[in-house]
Amino acid sequence: MDELKKVVEFVQADPSHYDYAEFLGELNGYRVYNPVFRDRDAHIGFPRYVMVDDEEIRWTDNDELEEVIITFFDTENEDE
């Protein structure tokens, strides 16, 4: 099965009911995906990302969360 299809099944099985996932890039040996809602953009709590390697598909842990945000999202201009 295609990796993206596996990731989409993983995020759709979550109680938050994400609709799909977008590939962000690679980080520390993992391929990182951003789970996305199709018709809504609200998620209560910290953002969640999916980490994939050849052996597992899992959610980021708290230590990885900040690294994913710094690596893939421009946070320098958010206050402007």
Side-chain angles (χ1 to χ4, degrees):
M1 181 184 287
D2 172 66
E3 181 174 284
L4 181 57
K5 286 183 181 181
K6 289 180 183 179
V7 172
V8 169
E9 286 179 1
F10 178 79
V11 301
Q12 288 177 339
D14 185 78
S16 295
H17 302 291
Y18 293 99
D19 294 306
Y20 62 98
E22 297 174 335
F23 179 71
L24 294 177
E26 295 196 14
L27 181 66
N28 299 330
Y30 286 90
R31 293 170 299 282
V32 183
Y33 289 83
N34 182 29
V36 179
F37 296 113
R38 185 180 332 257
D39 297 326
R40 55 198 158 99
D41 53 80
H43 173 77
I44 297 171
F46 290 106
R48 302 173 75 194
Y49 302 99
V50 179
M51 305 294 276
V52 180
D53 68 8
D54 294 336
E55 298 179 15
E56 67 179 337
I57 298 175
R58 64 176 178 81
W59 294 106
T60 49
D61 62 30
N62 290 339
D63 295 330
E64 295 166 322
L65 177 60
E66 183 177 8
E67 191 171 5
V68 168
I69 292 170
I70 289 169
T71 302
F72 297 110
F73 299 97
D74 179 13
T75 59
E76 295 210 10
N77 297 322
E78 287 204 4
D79 292 334
E80 295 179 8

